[in-house]
Amino acid sequence: MRTQVAIVGAGPAGLVLSHLLHLRGIESVVVERRSREYVEKRVRAGVLEQGTVDLLRSIGVSDGLDRDGLPHHGIELLFDGVSHRVPLSDLSGGRAITIYGQQRVVSDLTEARLAAGGQIFFSADEVSVDVAVPRVSFTHDGQRVELDCDFIAGCDGFHGSCRDELPGATVYEREYPFAWLGILADVAPSNDELIYANTDRGFALLSLRSPTVSRLYLQVDPAEELAAWSDERVWDELQSRLAHDGWSLKEGPVLEKTITPMRSFVCEPMQHGRLFLAGDAAHIVPPTGAKGLNLAIHDVHVLASAMEDWYATGRSTGLDSYSATCLRRVWRVQHFSWWMTSMLHNFPGDDPFERRLQRSQLEYVVSSPAAATTLAENYVGLRWS
C-alpha cells in the first residue's frame, strides 16, 4: 500500500491528525493495535480546553460535543473545610473548559473519518516502523501489509513503539509518590463545577462525565490494591475529604474503579527524519491539570499545518521546527501540572514545612487576582499561536 502520511494510533491525536490532513487534501492511513470497541470505550480525561473545543468545531466534528458537552466557567479549591471558587472565564477573557469524555471524542472522530472514506486498520498485529524507507508494516486479518509513505506520525501512546525509533533521544521523567483511585458512579454530580480538595487525609477531586454520571478521585499510595477499596470505603473517604459546610456528596452505584500511577515524562526531540511523535508517545503529564488530551491535540494541529506547507510549497521550515514549537507548550503545561499537583497532594513523610507552603500557596491563589488569573489562563489553555 501507499499513502502520504501513515499514522500509528487511533486515539485523539491520530484521528484528529488524519481528519486535519483530509481537510487539507492530504491522504493518510491510521493503524491501531487495539479493536475499535476497545478504543471507543476506553475511559480517559474528559476536560477539554477552549482551544481543543474550537478546533473540533472548526473541523466539523462537534455535533455531540455541542449537544452533550458541559461548559464550565469556574472550579473550586477546597482547603481547611472551606471552598473557594476560581472564576475561570472572568479571569481569562471569557474562555472556558468543557466536560466531554475522551471516549466520546474518539467515537465522533472515528465516525467522521470513516464517513469521509478514511482508512483505519483496527486490531493490527505485529506493527513495526522503518523510518529510513519510510514504512509501517503490520498484519491485518491474517495478511501482511507494507504501508509506504512520505511521513510517519507516531501517535501510539506512552507504551507504543514509535518512540523507540528516535536515536539518542533525551528523556525527562518524574514518578510521583502517589496514585489516583478513580471511580465512575451512576449518580448525578453533587456540584455544578469541579472541586479540587487539599486535606490532611490527602487529595480528592469531584468531577463528572454527564448530568447523570459522576467521576471522582482519591489520592492513594501507588502500591494500593483495588481489592482493598470496597465501594463503601471509597465513598466514606470521599465524604471525609470533600466535606464542607452547606454541601453534601451524593452517592450511587460504582460503574468502574481504577488506580492510576502519576508521572511526568518528556522525550526530546519529538522527531527524527520522517518520523514525528505526538501526544502521549512524546509526553505525559499528571492528570491534576487535565492537560494530556489537550496537549496531544495541539501537537497534531502544529504537525498538520507543517505538512500542509511542505506538500503545497516544498518548504520544510515547519517540519524542521515541529519539535521545538511543540516543546515550548509541553514544558509550560508540564510546569502547570506539576504546580497543581504539588499544591494539592500530600507527600510522604507529612512534612509540616511542606504543608505550610501548600497552605500559603492556596491562600495566595484564592486571595490574589494575579495568582488566580495565572491558574485560570493555564487551566482553560493558553491561546494557540
Side-chain angles (χ1 to χ4, degrees):
M1 293 181 62
R2 168 78 193 176
T3 191
Q4 290 174 295
V5 182
I7 301 171
V8 184
L15 293 172
V16 169
L17 177 59
S18 182
H19 206 61
L20 285 169
L21 295 175
H22 164 71
L23 295 174
R24 290 162 166 80
I26 301 169
E27 295 178 352
S28 68
V29 172
V30 180
V31 180
E32 168 58 49
R33 292 179 175 86
R34 302 283 193 170
S35 69
R36 178 178 179 180
E37 180 182 24
Y38 177 90
V39 172
E40 291 187 342
K41 290 186 176 180
R42 181 170 47 189
V43 176
R44 291 291 187 271
V47 178
L48 306 185
E49 293 179 355
Q50 185 69 62
T52 299
V53 171
D54 292 344
L55 178 69
L56 293 175
R57 285 177 176 153
S58 73
I59 63 176
V61 290
S62 67
D63 287 352
L65 168 64
D66 292 333
R67 182 181 63 248
D68 301 327
L70 303 173
H72 281 211
H73 301 281
I75 60 171
E76 295 186 29
L77 296 179
L78 171 63
F79 60 98
D80 291 343
V82 179
S83 185
H84 308 262
R85 185 174 187 268
V86 179
L88 300 175
S89 298
D90 292 347
L91 296 168
S92 63
R95 295 160 67 78
I97 59 168
T98 300
I99 305 296
Y100 190 66
Q102 175 172 316
Q103 68 272 29
R104 295 288 306 275
V105 174
V106 169
S107 180
D108 294 346
L109 287 163
T110 299
E111 291 181 7
R113 291 304 307 122
L114 296 176
Q119 286 187 291
I120 307 174
F121 288 90
F122 288 104
S123 301
D125 294 323
E126 301 174 321
V127 180
S128 63
V129 171
D130 187 337
V131 182
V133 175
R135 174 183 296 152
V136 175
S137 303
F138 58 98
T139 300
H140 189 260
D141 288 341
Q143 304 230 350
R144 193 64 182 166
V145 179
E146 307 290 338
L147 178 60
D148 289 337
C149 54
D150 299 324
F151 302 103
I152 301 171
C155 305
D156 52 344
F158 181 75
H159 298 290
S161 60
C162 285
R163 189 172 63 247
D164 296 337
E165 301 303 317
L166 271 67
T170 301
V171 167
Y172 302 88
E173 188 168 16
R174 170 169 294 179
E175 298 280 347
Y176 291 88
F178 36 74
W180 275 14
L181 188 158
I183 65 167
L184 200 65
D186 186 14
V187 60
S190 304
N191 200 60
D192 292 335
E193 296 177 334
L194 279 69
I195 301 176
Y196 286 80
N198 171 287
T199 80
D200 291 337
R201 300 180 66 88
F203 168 78
L205 170 62
L206 181 149
S207 184
L208 62 153
R209 284 297 173 266
S210 77
T212 60
V213 176
S214 296
R215 185 75 164 158
L216 302 108
Y217 298 93
L218 290 169
Q219 173 187 347
V220 298
D221 188 283
E224 286 280 1
E225 298 287 341
L226 272 180
W229 286 87
S230 65
D231 293 359
E232 182 180 9
R233 183 186 178 192
V234 171
W235 284 116
D236 286 347
E237 194 63 29
L238 285 167
Q239 292 282 4
S240 176
R241 297 190 196 184
L242 291 168
H244 57 282
D245 289 343
W247 182 88
S248 61
L249 176 66
K250 303 172 187 175
E251 298 184 16
V254 175
L255 306 174
E256 180 183 280
K257 193 185 303 178
T258 58
I259 291 181
T260 304
M262 297 179 66
R263 64 163 58 90
S264 296
F265 176 91
V266 180
C267 172
E268 292 190 17
M270 293 170 55
Q271 64 189 93
H272 170 64
R274 295 294 184 93
L275 170 65
F276 300 85
L277 301 184
D280 288 358
H283 42 71
I284 294 285
V285 292
T288 323
K291 294 297 170 195
L293 181 153
N294 298 288
L295 202 52
I297 300 302
H298 181 266
D299 287 347
V300 297
H301 161 72
V302 173
L303 185 55
S305 296
M307 288 180 171
E308 178 185 28
D309 189 44
W310 187 86
Y311 280 110
T313 69
R315 288 193 301 260
S316 64
T317 307
L319 292 173
D320 294 341
S321 62
Y322 166 74
S323 182
T325 299
C326 290
L327 284 169
R328 283 193 292 272
R329 190 178 190 90
V330 167
W331 281 110
R332 171 86 296 275
V333 168
Q334 285 286 1
H335 181 269
F336 175 69
S337 299
W338 164 84
W339 176 73
M340 287 279 287
T341 301
S342 301
M343 180 173 66
L344 292 164
H345 290 75
N346 290 3
F347 284 77
D350 195 26
D351 182 353
F353 184 80
E354 181 70 30
R355 294 291 293 156
R356 292 299 297 166
L357 289 178
Q358 287 181 329
R359 183 73 52 78
S360 175
Q361 183 64 66
L362 285 162
E363 290 173 349
Y364 181 53
V365 168
V366 300
S367 63
S368 165
T373 298
T374 296
L375 188 155
E377 67 178 10
N378 280 274
Y379 198 90
V380 302
L382 298 177
R383 295 183 186 274
W384 292 9
S385 57

